[in-house]
Amino acid sequence: MPVARPETSETRVIAHVDMDCFYVQVEQRKQPELRGLPTAVVQYNEWQGGGLIAVSYEARKCGVKRSMRGDEAKFACPEIQLVQVPVARGKADLNLYRSAGSEVVSILAQSGKCERASIDEVYLDLTDAAERMLADAPPESLESMDEEVLKSHILGMSREDGDDCKESVRDWMCRRDADHGDKLLSCGIIIVAELRKQVLKETEFTCSAGIAHNKMLAKLASGMNKPAQQTGVPYSAVQELLSSLPIKKMKQLGGKLGTSLQNDLGVDTVGDLLQFSETKLQEHYGINTGTWLWNIARGISGEEVQGRLLPKSHGSGKTFPGPRALKSLSTVQHWLNQLSEELSERLSSDLEQNKRIASTLTLHASAFRSRDSDSHKKFPSKSCPLRYGAIKIQEDAFNLFQAALREYIGPFGINPQGNKKETWRITGLSVSASKIVDIPSGTSSITRYFQSQSTAPSHSADGCVQEHVAMTPSASEGCSEQRSTETEVAMPEEDTSVTCTLPNFENSYKDIDLVSEKDVVSCPSNEATDIPTQSESNKGTQAKRIGQKINNLKEKNRGIPSIVDIFKNYSATASSKQETQEDSTVSSTSKRVNFSISSHNSEVNQEVEERRETDWGYKLDEIDQSVLDELPVEIQREVRSFMRPNKRFNVGKSKGDGSASSIAHYFQPLKR
Ligand code: DCP
């Protein structure tokens, strides 16, 4: 039964651009002698040669896969070149790859609405550009067509190898009787071929792309012909495409929902869904999911490309596979400190460069209980309002961890030494910052921001918010998504009998660990050392372009930088203190464990208050008049009163005590 053609979606032209073996390409640009060789990027740990996270297409031909360890890859392909991921704070440092991704985004964003979907993926809405081309220079009017265009794959078009195939592509694109949707698609194919060439020229990276009438189809198509190729999806080919597409391959159907469709409805391919009415699907999966399933079976997706060049969240994570699993609170705290420091750095640069503030801190962990029938119980994720400054994030992250651990293990599972031997193991940790918003211009709105920040997430009794994972696939894809890939990791040393399934935290960086393209601007020296001279001028141009783009976007926020400086100074002071305090913090861990969250927090808050007092006493001298002028009037009054000789700074006891606009309120500790 032919599927009714949706009327609205075919008038849009959406592209999904995906870099080819991205980390490998970044490393090959750094070391050009690796080009053309079978190469893989490995995580830095030495266990069995480290885990592969990116594999070149030459290595893939020898049977090397991302799921392999370095040793296994060498066995499959003895000449493989293994490149280590850069390391900082004892964990993978992905800044190099993030900056490289930003370079690509800056080029693609010239063409239309651009959404950075992950470290190496971008969606583009090319509808306007395609409409313009169709009006001004439609494909049939072009004297010649670029090779890259003619090499395109067009689904549903029969093709043979060689020149004939290019002719067929040209004929298809120049059909005068083509409908409006196909004509627009042809224009999109030409635009994307041009963009891919530009990306290659300016960054030396190849990418693949899918061009279709919606995001879902564009994403499906971009992975069909890799590397360095592009695939167009005319509406007429959609039904055939989906009829053979395994249900689990569809975005958002790789998990429980896909399994349920297979087991409960006997659906194997997306096309199989066509046999069910919308009502039937709604009966099984609820109104929204049912309708969504009914639509995807027909290739319909209304998801918009969001104009977003910056990530939706920042995250920092690490896995502790096999014998590396963490067994004590002090080691957990040590790693949370590292992760929090990295997160704090990224938040500071986002604040400084993009004038954006995050408001929610979330802790995720994966764990298992070794002597327990319930060892697959999920470690709960916890959130709380985010407070700026490395030390605060460290404290909050550790509090969240302890609250989650209590829940995971039950009230009697933790002893004052930190753990009961072999009771629990942590195999992955991550901290992330989300709900990122622009600081609105105008001081009153900043005040409002901070007011809302202190009340935003609702709290449970222990001050944390339980993260809920919705099954409904309505959420749009974003940089913050955790990868759903899971890795089987054996425990070779102490837990030889245990095999547990863990979320691949370090591998999940691709999705959670993005920074803004402003990094390219802010780190020219890094770029210069990492990248061969040939690309220097390109970098300069890109950096400028990125700078311009962000400046345009952030024009409205002029006047904020000085407030940003306050944050920066504050967290810088906090960090330097942290170095001296680190030992004592860790050694006092076991004592803290016995406290209830609230008593622990009051202890922490007291420390924080003391630190703040000193910090501000020191910082006040550094605040200049122009900074003060930007602050809300009440705060100006408050700060000026501190600046008067002999007036001692007294947090929380100053004029307007407890009012939302008190400067103390800006840095108020987490309310529990
Ligand atoms: N990545 C990671 N862990 C994963 C998956 C990916 O760290 N589990 C990193 C390394 C990849 C980059 O993200 O180079 C992009 O991931 P992709 O899934 O897009 O894969 P590649 O770009 O490596 O290859 P492909 O050409 O198949 O897209």
Side-chain angles (χ1 to χ4, degrees):
M1 176 187 55
V3 177
R5 202 176 173 100
E7 296 209 338
T8 49
S9 63
E10 68 186 46
T11 54
R12 292 195 297 152
V13 180
I14 309 294
H16 178 257
V17 179
D18 185 17
M19 307 310 294
D20 303 315
C21 55
F22 188 47
Y23 290 10
V24 170
Q25 287 205 75
V26 175
E27 295 297 341
Q28 287 178 333
R29 183 172 75 171
K30 219 167 102 187
Q31 304 177 57
E33 66 278 11
L34 295 178
R35 276 189 203 285
L37 300 180
T39 308
V41 175
V42 288
Q43 279 177 17
Y44 67 97
N45 75 57
E46 291 115 37
W47 186 50
Q48 295 184 359
L52 270 54
I53 53 173
V55 180
S56 77
Y57 281 82
E58 293 83 1
R60 290 184 204 191
K61 277 187 201 148
C62 309
V64 179
K65 297 200 174 85
R66 180 147 62 196
S67 54
M68 290 179 173
R69 314 276 318 167
D71 293 351
E72 211 181 331
K74 274 195 183 140
F75 187 72
C77 176
E79 64 278 23
I80 194 165
Q81 309 288 315
L82 297 178
V83 185
Q84 296 277 313
V85 166
V87 176
R89 297 189 179 89
K91 62 181 284 296
D93 177 7
L94 305 180
N95 279 329
L96 180 66
Y97 310 122
R98 287 193 204 103
S99 299
S102 300
E103 289 174 39
V104 176
V105 171
S106 73
I107 295 164
L108 297 177
Q110 306 297 304
S111 57
K113 207 174 184 190
C114 172
E115 175 182 331
R116 191 174 185 175
S118 81
I119 200 161
D120 76 332
E121 278 176 284
V122 166
Y123 286 102
L124 298 170
D125 188 334
L126 300 173
T127 311
D128 290 346
E131 290 278 11
R132 272 197 306 274
M133 177 180 275
L134 195 57
D136 300 344
E140 65 269 22
S141 72
L142 300 177
E143 274 179 18
S144 65
M145 256 186 212
D146 192 274
E147 275 289 297
E148 205 53 51
V149 176
L150 297 177
K151 273 165 41 194
S152 303
H153 301 255
I154 296 173
L155 291 189
M157 192 196 84
S158 58
R159 60 177 288 158
E160 287 147 29
D161 287 341
D163 286 347
D164 283 353
C165 175
K166 291 181 188 164
E167 269 317 303
S168 312
V169 171
R170 189 199 312 271
D171 291 348
W172 189 91
M173 293 183 59
C174 296
R175 282 172 307 143
R176 288 185 185 275
D177 60 347
D179 63 23
H180 187 65
D182 281 356
K183 283 183 176 170
L184 276 184
L185 191 73
S186 298
C187 295
I189 288 171
I190 295 173
I191 295 167
V192 172
E194 196 47 50
L195 284 171
R196 288 180 39 245
K197 278 174 63 182
Q198 203 184 336
V199 168
L200 180 62
K201 189 166 155 235
E202 295 194 23
T203 66
E204 303 175 26
F205 299 141
T206 66
C207 55
S208 301
I211 306 107
H213 294 302
N214 64 44
K215 279 172 88 173
M216 174 184 85
L217 296 170
K219 168 132 186 159
L220 278 177
S222 69
M224 290 182 130
N225 295 289
K226 276 191 142 238
Q229 296 175 72
Q230 60 180 46
T231 307
V233 190
Y235 188 77
S236 53
V238 171
Q239 203 178 340
E240 198 185 326
L241 166 69
L242 296 180
S243 67
S244 57
L245 185 74
I247 196 87
K248 288 271 196 170
K249 292 265 177 215
M250 181 58 117
K251 198 180 112 189
Q252 289 160 335
L253 292 181
K256 283 183 193 160
L257 181 53
T259 309
S260 161
L261 285 165
Q262 282 176 325
N263 298 343
D264 303 334
L265 297 188
V267 166
D268 290 325
T269 68
V270 176
D272 288 347
L273 284 169
L274 285 173
Q275 57 190 293
F276 299 99
S277 68
E278 189 174 1
T279 321
K280 184 88 186 158
L281 292 169
Q282 286 175 337
E283 271 167 24
H284 276 272
Y285 299 106
I287 303 275
N288 291 342
T289 304
T291 299
W292 179 78
L293 288 169
W294 190 88
N295 279 327
I296 61 154
R298 287 152 185 81
I300 302 170
S301 157
E303 209 187 311
E304 293 274 324
V305 173
Q306 295 159 26
R308 190 186 64 232
L309 307 183
L310 298 172
K312 266 192 346 195
S313 68
H314 297 291
S316 176
K318 183 170 171 64
T319 45
F320 307 95
R324 288 162 197 271
L326 307 181
K327 305 163 195 144
S328 68
L329 280 174
S330 60
T331 51
V332 167
Q333 188 177 34
H334 166 80
W335 282 111
L336 281 178
N337 285 350
Q338 309 301 311
L339 301 177
S340 302
E341 238 180 53
E342 189 197 340
L343 181 65
S344 176
E345 247 172 41
R346 303 243 307 276
L347 286 168
S348 299
S349 56
D350 199 2
L351 178 62
E352 183 177 352
Q353 292 162 11
N354 309 315
K355 318 291 175 284
R356 300 197 310 161
I357 296 210
S359 58
T360 300
L361 175 72
T362 302
L363 174 120
H364 297 284
S366 59
F368 70 94
R369 298 189 285 188
S370 54
R371 284 191 189 158
D372 195 340
S373 56
D374 195 14
S375 64
H376 289 291
K377 181 177 171 185
K378 255 189 118 204
F379 196 91
S381 296
K382 297 271 173 190
S383 294
C384 70
L386 190 143
R387 302 184 301 147
Y388 272 68
I391 287 192
K392 290 175 187 170
I393 296 176
Q394 288 169 343
E395 287 166 351
D396 292 344
F398 189 52
N399 282 338
L400 291 177
F401 177 83
Q402 290 180 88
L405 182 63
R406 240 177 243 119
E407 198 174 309
Y408 178 68
I409 211 148
F412 307 110
I414 309 172
N415 65 25
Q417 278 69 47
N419 71 310
K420 270 188 189 163
K421 204 165 180 317
E422 294 192 330
T423 301
W424 54 270
R425 296 282 186 275
I426 297 299
T427 50
L429 275 177
S430 85
V431 286
S432 56
S434 58
K435 303 222 172 99
I436 303 182
V437 292
D438 288 349
I439 300 178
S441 55
T443 50
S444 65
S445 42
I446 293 173
T447 318
R448 223 179 303 128
Y449 165 74
F450 279 101
Q451 277 169 350
S452 65
Q453 191 196 27
S454 65
T455 54
S458 60
H459 287 81
S460 65
D462 59 5
C464 305
V465 178
Q466 181 82 40
E467 291 288 292
H468 294 288
V469 181
M471 190 169 156
T472 314
S474 54
S476 64
E477 183 185 52
C479 310
S480 59
E481 276 178 14
Q482 291 270 2
R483 286 187 86 83
S484 56
T485 12
E486 299 199 322
T487 316
E488 289 285 310
V489 179
M491 311 277 174
E493 284 177 15
E494 13 182 275
D495 298 295
T496 38
S497 61
V498 187
T499 302
C500 66
T501 307
L502 344 154
N504 200 343
F505 273 73
E506 281 209 341
N507 290 353
S508 60
Y509 287 144
K510 184 193 166 199
D511 287 331
I512 64 169
D513 221 4
L514 295 171
V515 286
S516 76
E517 53 271 77
K518 282 286 247 171
D519 278 8
V520 182
V521 181
S522 65
C523 314
S525 54
N526 280 353
E527 297 279 320
T529 49
D530 288 339
I531 293 149
T533 45
Q534 191 208 339
S535 38
E536 292 296 341
S537 61
N538 293 339
K539 298 279 168 322
T541 323
Q542 286 146 16
K544 251 182 256 155
R545 193 185 296 140
I546 292 165
Q548 264 166 14
K549 194 115 203 141
I550 304 286
N551 283 344
N552 292 345
L553 284 172
K554 308 294 169 184
E555 186 69 11
K556 58 187 176 174
N557 290 323
R558 260 195 254 126
I560 301 299
S562 40
I563 292 174
V564 172
D565 287 343
I566 296 180
F567 278 98
K568 215 169 69 181
N569 290 339
Y570 182 77
S571 53
T573 321
S575 310
S576 65
K577 277 174 182 294
Q578 175 217 349
E579 280 163 27
T580 55
Q581 286 181 354
E582 197 168 289
D583 289 347
S584 63
T585 317
V586 173
S587 63
S588 67
T589 300
S590 52
K591 186 177 70 192
R592 280 192 198 164
V593 173
N594 285 333
F595 296 165
S596 71
I597 280 280
S598 58
S599 66
H600 172 74
N601 279 342
S602 64
E603 176 198 70
V604 171
N605 291 348
Q606 199 182 337
E607 283 170 22
V608 173
E609 293 298 328
E610 280 162 18
R611 270 205 305 276
R612 177 184 300 139
E613 186 166 339
T614 329
D615 290 340
W616 277 99
Y618 171 70
K619 288 294 158 212
L620 284 173
D621 298 338
E622 292 182 7
I623 297 175
D624 73 24
Q625 197 58 39
S626 61
V627 175
L628 282 185
D629 293 343
E630 291 167 17
L631 294 168
V633 180
E634 302 91 315
I635 292 172
Q636 289 184 30
R637 241 185 274 131
E638 190 178 339
V639 176
R640 288 206 173 91
S641 72
F642 308 146
M643 289 170 128
R644 267 183 249 129
N646 307 326
K647 178 94 187 180
R648 194 175 131 63
F649 179 61
N650 197 0
V651 176
K653 297 273 186 326
S654 52
K655 208 182 313 174
D657 183 20
S659 83
S661 57
S662 148
I663 198 153
H665 188 82
Y666 270 10
F667 301 106
Q668 217 156 39
L670 182 62
K671 288 199 182 99
R672 301 281 173 184

